Amino acid sequence: MTKTIHIFLLFCLLECRGWEGRVWGSDFDPAETAGTLRGWHSADGLPSDSVTAIIQTRDGFLWVGTSAGLVRFDGVKFTPLRLAAFSTNNEIVVTALCEDSHGGLWIGTQQNGLFRLFQGALRHYVSQDGLLDDNVTSLAADGQGQVWIGSKSGLNLWTGHGFKSFTTRAGLPDEFVSGVNVARSGTVWITTRSGMCRFIDGRITPYVFRTESQGRSPEYLGAYEDRQGNLWAFGDTYLINLAEGKRFNYFRSSESASVRIWSLCEGRDGRLWIGTSGRGLFCFEDNRFQPVVFGEDRMPCDVRAICEDHEGNLWLGTSGGGLIQLRPQSVHVLRAGQGLLASPPTALALDADGQIYVGLQRGGLFMGEAGRFDRVGGNEGPAVRNFITSICIDHDGTVWAATLGDGLYGVLNGRAIHLTTADGLTDNSVLAICADEGDGIWAGTAAGTLQRLSKSGPLRFDIGQSLPDTVATTLIPAAGDGHWVGTRSGRVLREQNGKFTEVQLPKAAGDHAVLALYQDGEKWLWAGTDGGGLICRTGKAEFNWNTSNGLPNNIVSSVVEDDANNVWIGTGAGIYRISHSDLLKTLA
């Protein structure tokens, strides 16, 4: 099915992409991710605006370590946990947190050793108890109830009865341990200032690797084994997939003095979230770094800790910016720049290869991929300059653009055709187009006609003759045969062999114009409306997603599904992406 997005309202150019949906706005990076965010600072009860570690324990509480102590967060208020450091009243800097298999919370600190909170009792461990160093850099728990402790002087293992110690004599490349990660396979990955190693079969062995890319080795800060078994090493400006021998260095050498990767977290959807100093938060997906950008809510540039909670919310600990929560739902943003003109986008489409086609209110038709937009056909290409109302891609790859006042344009391999009333169109203002399974293009015009244009001959339905008394504002092919037609009067029609049957919409639709239609894999028909939100009626239930239950805007101008089963929803607040399964959960 042709994947087409119709956008009939003029979106303001936003610099953000919603996390409760991803927003398409100005300044383009096709993989940028973000969304609505909420923040807490010292004025809200945080001990400090410098958040250094975050963990959610199995009881659902969020624990937040800062440069001035530790607090428990229940979603409403912060409750401090007093960590007694010897006989001093100095503030304790929390450096790492982890939960062991028995439910004990371990707290690593800078210069004040290690704490364990278990069943309400707090225990304090320092070098006199067997720690190699009171400066704890990292913590990780394994499935046997043991806890691995990285420090500036080596590696400790809490066995449940005491501490074992590992230094360079035991095989560590360097005694400064920067990170410890326990993989699902049971392998313990250890990163040091001078290289990586792993603890397997009871001993430490070096891990030497070579990558396909040349360049200096980073000062490692951590390693992580994801759900697919890929091993990642990260530090300063590098991210390396050790399983495939690939090095990714997104940050330019001129930026390396101010940019450093500090943290990494794998989301439930498999994407890697990367916190940096100097450049904020990134998502790494499809071997590309995807910067997170917000509009008025500027993302702090120093993200030191990342945690995904049980509901899929993302929590960020920043240096100076406090604690930030991003609500879950994947989103992508389209922003002006990198070849795209600063004009409101009015139509979007995705082709089979995932390329993004953008129609603008002014400036023409653009195509983008991997962070770069170019005018379709180049600067000398087709002069599509009018208001583009709709885009579709037919079976041979031709990109069709409907315009408000200048008819239809079809572009394939840099060559274009231009169809107007002189070529048989009933009106040069075309509001909706879609491609059928043959060689035809269907067009709904402002004159109240629905017509098929093809080499095999035209087919046309007119108001007062075959087409009911209304103007078609959106078209999609129907499963099986025929078409679904959304209208300006708020009706949805099923067209089969030239006959139109009205489909009863939920009461929530009211008399709002239908701006978008989408038929999912279950053959449920979804309708985006001009003021009534997103609606759907099945044989069992009615759904209505609007501002009362989480949709950011009640104007839904586009709905389309990609090959990864993500549903893209264009609203008056931008375009949002949500997985089909999450969409159903949202409305359940």
Side-chain angles (χ1 to χ4, degrees), residues 466-479:
S466 304
L467 185 66
D469 187 17
T470 185
V471 173
T473 48
T474 182
L475 300 169
I476 63 169

Side-chain angles (χ1 to χ4, degrees), residues 72-300:
R72 189 187 71 184
F73 187 49
D74 61 7
V76 178
K77 66 179 185 299
F78 294 97
T79 302
L81 177 68
R82 179 169 174 75
L83 302 175
F86 309 109
S87 59
T88 178
N89 291 323
N90 292 338
E91 295 176 337
I92 292 181
V93 178
V94 176
T95 56
L97 297 169
C98 82
E99 184 181 22
D100 64 31
S101 58
H102 302 297
L105 176 66
W106 292 81
I107 305 134
T109 73
Q110 178 179 296
Q111 298 181 344
N112 289 289
L114 184 66
F115 295 83
R116 185 192 188 214
L117 178 66
F118 182 63
Q119 296 181 346
L122 187 66
R123 179 76 185 271
H124 187 197
Y125 302 96
V126 292
S127 55
Q128 289 88 337
D129 301 302
L131 282 181
L132 287 168
D133 197 308
D134 289 336
N135 289 283
V136 176
T137 58
S138 55
L139 294 170
D142 62 25
Q144 288 73 50
Q146 303 179 126
V147 176
W148 297 83
I149 304 109
S151 75
K152 293 184 177 181
S153 301
L155 180 69
N156 280 115
L157 172 64
W158 169 256
T159 64
H161 305 287
F163 293 100
K164 288 184 178 180
S165 299
F166 303 90
T167 63
T168 52
R169 292 183 179 182
L172 285 179
D174 191 285
E175 290 185 349
F176 191 111
V177 176
S178 53
V180 185
N181 176 257
V182 178
R184 291 170 178 80
S185 62
T187 300
V188 180
W189 293 96
I190 306 149
T191 54
T192 76
R193 188 161 48 189
S194 300
M196 290 181 60
C197 58
R198 56 186 172 179
F199 186 88
I200 190 169
D201 296 329
R203 63 191 182 94
I204 294 176
T205 58
Y207 187 84
V208 181
F209 65 91
R210 295 178 181 176
T211 66
E212 62 184 18
S213 301
Q214 299 298 316
R216 65 181 180 85
S217 296
E219 179 182 323
Y220 294 111
L221 296 176
Y224 179 79
E225 186 175 318
D226 66 21
R227 296 182 182 92
Q228 286 72 45
N230 293 309
L231 177 63
W232 302 89
F234 61 95
D236 54 33
T237 65
Y238 289 92
L239 178 69
I240 301 175
N241 185 330
L242 296 175
E244 298 181 2
K246 293 182 179 179
R247 182 194 305 269
F248 303 94
N249 182 22
Y250 176 83
F251 307 105
R252 313 303 191 268
S253 58
S254 61
E255 301 170 338
S256 60
S258 60
V259 177
R260 190 169 203 175
I261 296 175
W262 280 105
S263 52
L264 184 148
C265 172
E266 183 182 14
R268 60 177 60 187
D269 57 4
R271 291 181 296 172
L272 297 180
W273 298 96
I274 298 169
T276 75
S277 60
R279 293 287 298 277
L281 180 68
F282 285 79
C283 173
F284 188 79
E285 184 180 20
D286 298 329
N287 290 337
R288 295 201 304 267
F289 284 92
Q290 306 166 359
V292 175
V293 176
F294 294 86
E296 295 179 0
D297 298 313
R298 288 290 180 181
M299 168 64 67

Side-chain angles (χ1 to χ4, degrees), residues 4 13 27 68 73 95 142 154 245 282-283 396 430 459 464 547 551:
T4 308
L13 293 176
D27 292 346
F73 187 49
T95 56
D142 62 25
F282 285 79
C283 173
D396 68 0
V430 183
L459 182 65
T547 53
L551 191 67

Side-chain angles (χ1 to χ4, degrees), residues 273-514:
W273 298 96
I274 298 169
T276 75
S277 60
R279 293 287 298 277
L281 180 68
F282 285 79
C283 173
F284 188 79
E285 184 180 20
D286 298 329
N287 290 337
R288 295 201 304 267
F289 284 92
Q290 306 166 359
V292 175
V293 176
F294 294 86
E296 295 179 0
D297 298 313
R298 288 290 180 181
M299 168 64 67
C301 65
D302 198 336
V303 177
R304 296 298 180 98
I306 309 174
C307 171
E308 186 182 55
D309 68 19
H310 301 160
E311 297 179 353
N313 297 313
L314 203 65
W315 295 85
L316 309 177
T318 72
S319 179
L323 177 68
I324 291 176
Q325 180 201 48
L326 300 181
R327 293 190 177 275
Q329 285 174 16
S330 299
V331 291
H332 281 286
V333 84
L334 180 68
R335 302 182 315 155
Q338 300 186 13
L340 188 63
L341 300 181
S343 176
T346 51
L348 304 175
L350 304 174
D351 69 10
D353 296 324
Q355 294 186 108
I356 306 162
Y357 290 84
V358 183
L360 301 177
Q361 180 188 5
R362 301 177 304 276
L365 182 64
F366 288 76
M367 177 183 70
E369 185 180 32
R372 178 69 195 178
F373 272 109
D374 296 294
R375 189 187 302 277
V376 171
N379 291 330
E380 303 302 323
V384 187
R385 296 292 186 272
N386 287 54
F387 188 121
I388 296 178
T389 58
S390 180
I391 305 171
C392 78
I393 303 169
D394 70 16
H395 63 92
D396 68 0
T398 300
V399 181
W400 291 92
T403 71
L404 196 64
D406 199 26
L408 286 174
Y409 287 84
V411 183
L412 180 64
N413 298 326
R415 302 181 64 182
I417 60 173
H418 183 200
L419 304 178
T420 66
T421 52
D423 303 290
L425 274 178
T426 56
D427 195 293
N428 284 332
S429 288
V430 183
L431 303 180
I433 54 171
C434 77
D436 62 21
E437 297 298 326
D439 64 350
I441 296 296
W442 291 78
T445 71
T449 62
L450 179 63
Q451 63 183 124
R452 181 180 188 268
L453 304 174
S454 74
K455 296 177 182 178
S456 58
L459 182 65
R460 170 173 150 181
F461 307 106
D462 298 287
I463 289 179
Q465 299 174 12
S466 304
L467 185 66
D469 187 17
T470 185
V471 173
T473 48
T474 182
L475 300 169
I476 63 169
D481 64 345
H483 296 83
W484 293 106
V485 183
T487 70
R488 186 165 59 191
S489 61
R491 303 160 68 186
V492 171
L493 309 173
R494 172 69 185 266
E495 179 274 325
Q496 288 180 291
N497 300 319
K499 296 182 179 180
F500 293 85
T501 305
E502 184 170 355
V503 177
Q504 189 65 37
L505 292 178
K507 294 180 180 179
D511 295 326
H512 299 290
V514 177

